[in-house]
Amino acid sequence: MAEQRFLASAALGLALSAFLLASVAGFDRVFVDGAWVGPVVASVLAAQALATGLRCVPVPPLVAMAAGLAGVALIGVAAALGPGAFASFPGGTWRSVVDAIDQARTSLPSAIAPVATGHGYDLLAAWGAGVVALLGDWGTFRLRSPMQGAAPGLALFLLCCVLGGPAHRDADLAGWLAAALVFLLVHQVTFGGGGEVPFAGRRPRSLHRTLTAGAAMGVASLAVGLAVTPALAARNGQGVLGWRDSTDAGKTRVVESPIVDLRTRIVKESNVPVFTVRSSVPSYWRLTSLDTFNGSLWTSTNSYESTHGSLPGVASPPGSTRKVIEEFRVQDLDSIWLPAAFDPEAVTGAGAVTFDPSSGSLLTGHATSNNLVYRVTSYERLATLSAAKLAAAGPLPPRRTLRRDLQLPSNIPRSVISLAREITAGKKTEYAKALALQDYLLGPSFTYSTDPPTDGYSTSTLATFLLDTRTGYCQQFAGSYAVMARVVGIPTRLAVGFATGTQDSTGLYHVTDADAHTWPEVYFPGYGWVPFEPTKGNFAIPEADAYTGSKLGDVSPHPTPAAASKRSTSTSVATPVGKPPGAPNAGAQAGGIAGGRRPDLGQTLALAAGGVAVAVVVWPALILAVRRLRWSRRRRRLGRTGPGGPLLAAWQETSERLAWRGVRRRPDETPAEYARRAGTELAGNRTALDRLADAVTRVRFSDHQLPEESTAEALAGSGVLARALWEGAPLRLRLRWWLAPLPAWSAREAGAA
């Protein structure tokens, strides 16, 4: 018997491990890299091993829980910060933990998942995973409830779904459901019958039926999903398994950031045609803007509204502003963003389109913009701006209204902060500071290269670019500009799109992969978002030389002679060709931008904390209400069986209370035998219990009606017994009575008949 129970516990422990690992796999939607995997997996397995060991030690449950939580805290520190964190235990360890938590606390209010690991996030993830493993083991083995064992993992997985981006969504969900099904099946065939004899002590047919039923349920669920999903999902990739439909206002569409794909286009320096534009005015062709920087990735969360020709939320410009009509023919953009000139006012011919007024971005309702032909009407106002106008712009609105556009992570190097302040020292106006930062990056010490020594736009890369190599391409120039501008209090964001391209003899602009470009935009009161161009080379924003000081010349994004030679042949391209071998699609890497506001990490965790606080009050009340409702229904049902019905109901309630105190009725015991055993193990009030058991036996097996005096005396004794059992219960059992739905008072486990 002991060997069978050991094998059953081992099988259930392995199933629980698989379920917990499937639950923490949701972190791959919260983090942009895989550095979390080692600490989190180690924390889960170590916490589960600790919980197993504590079950083998005869200590009170509250002591075991306290020891488990303390162990999980140490395990999380070792897993996330490394064993070196204990080199100067406890003082040095405490300082390391406080620093990590402070980094997380500082960056959480402005962080939007997916985020980079570090900044204390990996420590919080390791702790969360360890607590989930500890609670899962507690519910599975101590409370013998599969639902309580699975609840912590479910909560963590749902939290990751709420916080995370769309990457790996289907695979994570399928893996979690499979692991949950296996865990429940293993629990059913081991301890699911109340914990008597697992495996060998159960009838073979019972095990066979359980496995068959579980497999049938899994197959049926899969079949229903495969049948229903195509009916609910649109052909363009929207629906349950794709994006949420963005053609209706108020709904959310989660898509990938275009900046990853644009980097591939820039580095490839390819002349693959992307789109053509017929316009009377040259422009940078803008896709969207990114306003949130987490230290390694620029992302954005914006609300998109349905359009019907005219775009909603577009403010009327000054009367001198020109309206320009551009006709776009998209060939191989492979993006859901629609290129447009600055400040679009209306769009036609693109089908269902949504628009975000704050970023000026257009989203197509199709899966991709390829092969679309559409017209955009834009306000061309850059030519109306001047250095004098921007220098005289009014004061910035309160900082809280531009929080996202001033937000910076806590790990900006001090050297970068000092450099930004040094560049702008003595500048009195926002425009003077913005221009000073641009001119510094355009200075002789910086060099343009698509193959820089360090690539990307993380804080460490930007520090290396600004202070060491001073060599990079537009993402380093624009990213450095945006970070330094925010350091000195200038609201800034990154615009993503394409430079002007090459104009042929008919006036048509040909835009290729090589024209992919990123530039910063600065907010000026009264003028809105104004583009600047800090990238070294022959870059210049058309019509903007009056305030940027850059004259429009050869707008080729690669000013080297070889690149200029390649660009001179691009006008002869008439038909689109395929994407360069190995070039990833826009969604190939993590780095989300959400069309539709998604709560940031700080807001979500605050909501979660509020939910926990409400649950502390609501959950016990719900447990009490459910128990009272069940007892009331039982009393009514047994009351209809005859005068002895109230006694039978009282006996079942007493049996449940005795089971809660640890004395469960055995299937082969009579009421009198159960009362004698319970009276031996529970001191006091034995007479009342014997009297109730005797009355129940007489009601069940005697043809004579029990006198009213005996019935009243037995019922009164059950009330006395209930009060005595409650008053003699330790705190841990009282908490279990209020908080645990199973198995403390279930009729099956109590053995009440």
Side-chain angles (χ1 to χ4, degrees):
M1 180 69 70
E3 181 181 357
Q4 295 168 359
R5 185 170 293 274
F6 172 77
L7 292 176
S9 297
L12 187 56
L14 290 175
L16 177 61
S17 297
F19 171 75
L20 292 172
L21 293 177
S23 299
V24 300
F27 279 123
D28 65 355
R29 299 174 61 186
V30 177
F31 297 108
V32 298
D33 53 50
W36 63 271
V37 175
V40 168
V41 171
S43 184
V44 167
L45 298 180
Q48 194 178 3
L50 174 63
T52 302
L54 289 173
R55 282 191 276 110
C56 301
V57 180
V59 295
L62 288 180
V63 174
M65 176 59 75
L69 292 175
V72 165
L74 296 177
I75 289 169
V77 172
L81 304 183
F86 295 97
S88 54
F89 185 84
T93 304
W94 176 254
R95 285 191 295 272
S96 298
V97 171
V98 169
D99 289 343
I101 294 176
D102 187 61
Q103 288 181 14
R105 179 187 58 80
T106 302
S107 56
L108 266 177
S110 58
I112 298 178
V115 299
T117 51
H119 315 304
Y121 296 151
D122 43 3
L123 178 60
L124 296 182
W127 276 348
V131 170
V132 165
L134 184 67
L135 295 179
D137 184 274
W138 191 280
T140 301
F141 290 99
R142 292 181 181 266
L143 301 181
R144 296 289 176 84
S145 170
M147 301 310 297
Q148 291 185 75
L154 171 62
L156 178 63
F157 186 76
L158 291 178
L159 181 63
C160 291
C161 291
V162 172
L163 291 176
H168 314 297
R169 172 182 50 199
D170 299 339
D172 287 347
L173 180 58
W176 186 89
L177 291 175
L181 180 61
V182 170
F183 169 68
L184 295 176
L185 287 176
V186 172
H187 186 280
Q188 179 63 29
V189 300
T190 53
F191 297 98
E196 294 90 358
V197 182
F199 289 125
R202 300 171 68 86
R203 290 181 300 175
R205 288 186 178 180
S206 175
L207 176 60
H208 180 267
R209 282 198 299 267
T210 300
L211 293 176
T212 302
M217 290 175 60
V219 172
S221 300
L222 179 61
V224 170
L226 293 176
V228 172
T229 297
L232 297 179
R235 294 181 180 179
N236 63 359
Q238 299 173 0
V240 174
L241 294 182
W243 301 304
R244 295 182 186 176
D245 184 5
S246 65
T247 59
D248 296 326
K251 295 188 177 181
T252 299
R253 183 176 185 179
V254 179
V255 295
E256 299 294 336
S257 171
I259 202 167
V260 175
D261 181 60
L262 288 183
R263 176 196 173 279
T264 302
R265 298 177 188 269
I266 294 168
V267 173
K268 287 287 184 180
E269 297 184 82
S270 168
N271 281 323
V272 173
V274 178
F275 57 86
T276 61
V277 190
R278 187 171 298 280
S279 173
S280 59
V281 176
S283 175
Y284 277 5
W285 315 114
R286 197 171 174 281
L287 294 179
T288 188
S289 63
L290 311 176
D291 54 19
T292 302
F293 182 52
N294 62 16
S296 63
L297 190 72
W298 282 91
T299 58
S300 178
T301 52
N302 298 305
S303 295
Y304 286 78
E305 305 175 30
S306 297
T307 65
H308 303 282
S310 297
L311 301 179
V314 177
S316 299
S320 59
T321 302
R322 293 180 296 175
K323 276 191 177 183
V324 179
I325 298 177
E326 312 105 37
E327 182 177 294
F328 289 86
R329 185 178 297 271
V330 181
Q331 298 166 329
D332 193 28
L333 179 57
D334 197 20
S335 167
I336 64 166
W337 281 275
L338 297 177
F342 297 113
D343 302 316
E345 182 266 342
V347 58
T348 58
V353 174
T354 52
F355 175 67
D356 170 38
S358 64
S359 66
S361 306
L362 296 166
L363 284 181
T364 174
H366 300 285
T368 177
S369 59
N370 289 353
N371 302 317
L372 287 182
V373 178
Y374 60 95
R375 292 161 62 95
V376 177
T377 303
S378 300
Y379 292 121
E380 199 293 298
R381 61 186 178 88
L382 298 187
T384 67
L385 301 180
S386 66
K389 288 182 178 180
L390 295 181
L396 289 171
R399 186 180 182 90
R400 64 178 179 273
T401 64
L402 295 169
R403 181 177 66 87
R404 283 195 303 170
D405 305 303
L406 290 168
Q407 162 272 335
L408 283 173
S410 60
N411 62 336
I412 300 297
R414 297 298 306 176
S415 55
V416 173
I417 295 175
S418 299
L419 177 62
R421 292 172 177 170
E422 179 183 344
I423 295 170
T424 57
K427 307 301 180 184
K428 302 301 183 183
T429 66
E430 180 190 3
Y431 169 71
K433 295 178 182 179
L435 189 64
L437 291 172
Q438 173 189 274
D439 292 345
Y440 177 79
L441 292 170
L442 293 176
S445 60
F446 286 89
T447 304
Y448 184 94
S449 172
T450 58
D451 187 24
T454 56
D455 198 357
Y457 34 84
S458 66
T459 52
S460 59
T461 298
L462 297 184
T464 302
F465 167 75
L466 285 170
L467 304 169
D468 184 13
T469 66
R470 294 183 173 86
T471 300
Y473 55 95
C474 61
Q475 290 189 11
Q476 285 79 49
F477 282 93
S480 298
Y481 181 98
V483 168
M484 291 195 295
R486 291 187 176 192
V487 164
V488 297
I490 301 175
T492 312
R493 64 189 187 186
L494 286 189
V496 181
F498 293 82
T500 308
T502 304
Q503 189 177 27
D504 64 17
S505 58
T506 67
L508 188 69
Y509 291 95
H510 294 264
V511 181
T512 71
D513 274 343
D515 294 303
H517 193 45
T518 303
W519 62 93
E521 295 178 336
V522 176
Y523 181 82
F524 288 92
Y527 299 99
W529 291 100
V530 177
F532 278 74
E533 184 52 275
T535 300
K536 186 68 175 292
N538 288 333
F539 290 93
I541 303 170
E543 308 288 327
D545 53 286
Y547 70 88
T548 63
S550 301
K551 296 292 183 181
L552 180 62
D554 178 12
V555 296
S556 166
H558 307 292
T560 62
S565 176
K566 288 194 302 180
R567 176 56 55 86
S568 67
T569 64
S570 65
T571 57
S572 63
V573 178
T575 58
V577 296
K579 189 176 287 295
N585 290 330
Q589 300 185 31
I593 171 173
R597 294 195 181 274
R598 198 165 29 145
D600 59 40
L601 291 177
Q603 292 173 339
T604 303
L605 292 179
L607 291 174
V612 171
V614 172
V616 169
V617 177
V618 174
W619 182 253
L622 180 62
I623 293 298
L624 176 63
V626 170
R627 185 191 303 117
R628 293 300 182 188
L629 176 62
R630 183 165 59 83
W631 285 5
S632 177
R633 293 178 59 185
R634 175 195 293 155
R635 290 169 184 172
R636 290 196 301 270
R637 174 174 54 82
L638 293 177
R640 293 193 292 267
T641 62
L647 276 175
L648 297 178
W651 173 250
Q652 291 195 18
E653 293 170 11
T654 301
S655 298
E656 293 183 22
R657 287 191 170 96
L658 289 171
W660 161 63
R661 288 294 303 269
V663 186
R664 293 178 173 81
R665 183 185 168 196
R666 298 167 184 165
D668 58 345
E669 282 183 319
T670 65
E673 292 171 338
Y674 181 37
R676 284 195 297 272
R677 184 168 63 85
T680 301
E681 298 189 20
L682 295 176
N685 297 285
R686 179 169 181 173
T687 301
L689 182 59
D690 289 339
R691 186 181 294 115
L692 178 61
D694 179 67
V696 169
T697 302
R698 292 166 63 186
V699 166
R700 285 182 176 175
F701 303 109
S702 175
D703 294 334
H704 301 288
Q705 183 175 341
L706 193 68
E708 292 185 5
E709 298 81 5
S710 300
T711 300
E713 187 177 12
L715 291 175
S718 68
V720 172
L721 186 61
R723 289 191 295 273
L725 289 173
W726 177 261
E727 292 171 357
L731 177 60
R732 63 179 179 83
L733 286 182
R734 294 192 182 191
L735 291 176
R736 190 181 185 192
W737 179 266
W738 283 107
L739 300 178
L742 289 172
W745 51 78
S746 65
R748 183 185 70 176
E749 185 145 347

